[in-house]
PDB file of all heavy atoms in Angstrom:
ATOM      1  N   ASP A 139      -5.095   4.665 -41.531  1.00 69.00           N
ATOM      2  CA  ASP A 139      -6.498   4.978 -41.790  1.00 69.00           C
ATOM      3  C   ASP A 139      -6.751   5.687 -43.106  1.00 69.00           C
ATOM      4  O   ASP A 139      -7.905   5.944 -43.444  1.00 69.00           O
ATOM      5  CB  ASP A 139      -7.037   5.874 -40.662  1.00 69.00           C
ATOM      6  CG  ASP A 139      -6.958   5.175 -39.320  1.00 69.00           C
ATOM      7  OD1 ASP A 139      -7.620   4.154 -39.164  1.00 69.00           O
ATOM      8  OD2 ASP A 139      -6.215   5.648 -38.457  1.00 69.00           O
ATOM      9  N   MET A 140      -5.709   6.031 -43.818  1.00 69.00           N
ATOM     10  CA  MET A 140      -5.908   6.777 -45.061  1.00 69.00           C
ATOM     11  C   MET A 140      -6.503   5.858 -46.122  1.00 69.00           C
ATOM     12  O   MET A 140      -5.923   4.835 -46.483  1.00 69.00           O
ATOM     13  CB  MET A 140      -4.595   7.394 -45.542  1.00 69.00           C
ATOM     14  CG  MET A 140      -4.143   8.546 -44.664  1.00 69.00           C
ATOM     15  SD  MET A 140      -2.616   9.316 -45.231  1.00 69.00           S
ATOM     16  CE  MET A 140      -3.141  10.039 -46.768  1.00 69.00           C
ATOM     17  N   ARG A 141      -7.680   6.234 -46.595  1.00 62.00           N
ATOM     18  CA  ARG A 141      -8.385   5.423 -47.577  1.00 62.00           C
ATOM     19  C   ARG A 141      -7.873   5.754 -48.977  1.00 62.00           C
ATOM     20  O   ARG A 141      -8.364   6.656 -49.635  1.00 62.00           O
ATOM     21  CB  ARG A 141      -9.889   5.644 -47.475  1.00 62.00           C
ATOM     22  CG  ARG A 141     -10.486   5.123 -46.179  1.00 62.00           C
ATOM     23  CD  ARG A 141     -12.003   5.213 -46.208  1.00 62.00           C
ATOM     24  NE  ARG A 141     -12.440   6.585 -46.401  1.00 62.00           N
ATOM     25  CZ  ARG A 141     -13.611   6.921 -46.924  1.00 62.00           C
ATOM     26  NH1 ARG A 141     -14.431   6.010 -47.361  1.00 62.00           N
ATOM     27  NH2 ARG A 141     -13.961   8.200 -47.042  1.00 62.00           N
ATOM     28  N   MET A 142      -6.865   5.035 -49.403  1.00 61.00           N
ATOM     29  CA  MET A 142      -6.269   5.248 -50.715  1.00 61.00           C
ATOM     30  C   MET A 142      -6.542   4.025 -51.592  1.00 61.00           C
ATOM     31  O   MET A 142      -6.695   2.913 -51.079  1.00 61.00           O
ATOM     32  CB  MET A 142      -4.749   5.436 -50.580  1.00 61.00           C
ATOM     33  CG  MET A 142      -4.336   6.736 -49.923  1.00 61.00           C
ATOM     34  SD  MET A 142      -4.611   8.132 -51.033  1.00 61.00           S
ATOM     35  CE  MET A 142      -3.697   9.421 -50.182  1.00 61.00           C
ATOM     36  N   PRO A 143      -6.585   4.233 -52.923  1.00 60.00           N
ATOM     37  CA  PRO A 143      -6.709   3.073 -53.817  1.00 60.00           C
ATOM     38  C   PRO A 143      -5.559   2.096 -53.589  1.00 60.00           C
ATOM     39  O   PRO A 143      -4.464   2.489 -53.195  1.00 60.00           O
ATOM     40  CB  PRO A 143      -6.623   3.711 -55.214  1.00 60.00           C
ATOM     41  CG  PRO A 143      -7.074   5.120 -55.016  1.00 60.00           C
ATOM     42  CD  PRO A 143      -6.567   5.507 -53.651  1.00 60.00           C
ATOM     43  N   LYS A 144      -5.820   0.823 -53.836  1.00 67.00           N
ATOM     44  CA  LYS A 144      -4.832  -0.217 -53.532  1.00 67.00           C
ATOM     45  C   LYS A 144      -3.531  -0.047 -54.308  1.00 67.00           C
ATOM     46  O   LYS A 144      -2.491  -0.562 -53.902  1.00 67.00           O
ATOM     47  CB  LYS A 144      -5.430  -1.598 -53.808  1.00 67.00           C
ATOM     48  CG  LYS A 144      -6.532  -1.965 -52.814  1.00 67.00           C
ATOM     49  CD  LYS A 144      -7.068  -3.360 -53.089  1.00 67.00           C
ATOM     50  CE  LYS A 144      -8.156  -3.715 -52.080  1.00 67.00           C
ATOM     51  NZ  LYS A 144      -8.716  -5.068 -52.325  1.00 67.00           N
ATOM     52  N   MET A 145      -3.575   0.641 -55.439  1.00 66.00           N
ATOM     53  CA  MET A 145      -2.356   0.756 -56.245  1.00 66.00           C
ATOM     54  C   MET A 145      -1.392   1.809 -55.691  1.00 66.00           C
ATOM     55  O   MET A 145      -0.271   1.950 -56.175  1.00 66.00           O
ATOM     56  CB  MET A 145      -2.680   1.065 -57.716  1.00 66.00           C
ATOM     57  CG  MET A 145      -3.121   2.493 -57.994  1.00 66.00           C
ATOM     58  SD  MET A 145      -4.846   2.750 -57.585  1.00 66.00           S
ATOM     59  CE  MET A 145      -5.186   4.280 -58.450  1.00 66.00           C
ATOM     60  N   ILE A 146      -1.830   2.596 -54.654  1.00 76.00           N
ATOM     61  CA  ILE A 146      -0.946   3.601 -54.073  1.00 76.00           C
ATOM     62  C   ILE A 146       0.074   2.915 -53.175  1.00 76.00           C
ATOM     63  O   ILE A 146      -0.303   2.217 -52.232  1.00 76.00           O
ATOM     64  CB  ILE A 146      -1.735   4.635 -53.255  1.00 76.00           C
ATOM     65  CG1 ILE A 146      -2.813   5.298 -54.111  1.00 76.00           C
ATOM     66  CG2 ILE A 146      -0.806   5.676 -52.662  1.00 76.00           C
ATOM     67  CD1 ILE A 146      -2.289   6.119 -55.252  1.00 76.00           C
ATOM     68  N   PRO A 147       1.382   3.076 -53.443  1.00 80.00           N
ATOM     69  CA  PRO A 147       2.413   2.434 -52.621  1.00 80.00           C
ATOM     70  C   PRO A 147       2.375   2.908 -51.168  1.00 80.00           C
ATOM     71  O   PRO A 147       1.992   4.043 -50.878  1.00 80.00           O
ATOM     72  CB  PRO A 147       3.729   2.870 -53.300  1.00 80.00           C
ATOM     73  CG  PRO A 147       3.333   3.298 -54.674  1.00 80.00           C
ATOM     74  CD  PRO A 147       1.951   3.847 -54.559  1.00 80.00           C
ATOM     75  N   VAL A 148       2.794   2.031 -50.287  1.00 82.00           N
ATOM     76  CA  VAL A 148       2.820   2.342 -48.858  1.00 82.00           C
ATOM     77  C   VAL A 148       3.681   3.574 -48.591  1.00 82.00           C
ATOM     78  O   VAL A 148       3.329   4.417 -47.760  1.00 82.00           O
ATOM     79  CB  VAL A 148       3.350   1.139 -48.049  1.00 82.00           C
ATOM     80  CG1 VAL A 148       3.542   1.517 -46.578  1.00 82.00           C
ATOM     81  CG2 VAL A 148       2.389  -0.038 -48.156  1.00 82.00           C
ATOM     82  N   ASP A 149       4.799   3.693 -49.298  1.00 85.00           N
ATOM     83  CA  ASP A 149       5.688   4.841 -49.099  1.00 85.00           C
ATOM     84  C   ASP A 149       4.994   6.158 -49.451  1.00 85.00           C
ATOM     85  O   ASP A 149       5.212   7.178 -48.790  1.00 85.00           O
ATOM     86  CB  ASP A 149       6.960   4.695 -49.948  1.00 85.00           C
ATOM     87  CG  ASP A 149       7.912   3.647 -49.395  1.00 85.00           C
ATOM     88  OD1 ASP A 149       7.673   3.175 -48.253  1.00 85.00           O
ATOM     89  OD2 ASP A 149       8.875   3.293 -50.090  1.00 85.00           O
ATOM     90  N   ASP A 150       4.168   6.130 -50.484  1.00 85.00           N
ATOM     91  CA  ASP A 150       3.430   7.335 -50.877  1.00 85.00           C
ATOM     92  C   ASP A 150       2.391   7.712 -49.825  1.00 85.00           C
ATOM     93  O   ASP A 150       2.166   8.893 -49.542  1.00 85.00           O
ATOM     94  CB  ASP A 150       2.745   7.124 -52.233  1.00 85.00           C
ATOM     95  CG  ASP A 150       3.730   7.164 -53.390  1.00 85.00           C
ATOM     96  OD1 ASP A 150       4.943   7.277 -53.126  1.00 85.00           O
ATOM     97  OD2 ASP A 150       3.291   7.071 -54.550  1.00 85.00           O
ATOM     98  N   ILE A 151       1.753   6.689 -49.262  1.00 84.00           N
ATOM     99  CA  ILE A 151       0.753   6.942 -48.211  1.00 84.00           C
ATOM    100  C   ILE A 151       1.427   7.538 -46.985  1.00 84.00           C
ATOM    101  O   ILE A 151       0.913   8.484 -46.375  1.00 84.00           O
ATOM    102  CB  ILE A 151       0.011   5.641 -47.850  1.00 84.00           C
ATOM    103  CG1 ILE A 151      -0.793   5.148 -49.060  1.00 84.00           C
ATOM    104  CG2 ILE A 151      -0.909   5.856 -46.652  1.00 84.00           C
ATOM    105  CD1 ILE A 151      -1.454   3.795 -48.861  1.00 84.00           C
TER     106      ILE A 151
END
Side-chain angles (χ1 to χ4, degrees):
D139 299 297
M140 289 181 67
R141 293 187 301 155
M142 290 288 193
K144 291 182 179 179
M145 75 280 196
I146 304 295
V148 173
D149 287 350
D150 286 4
I151 296 174

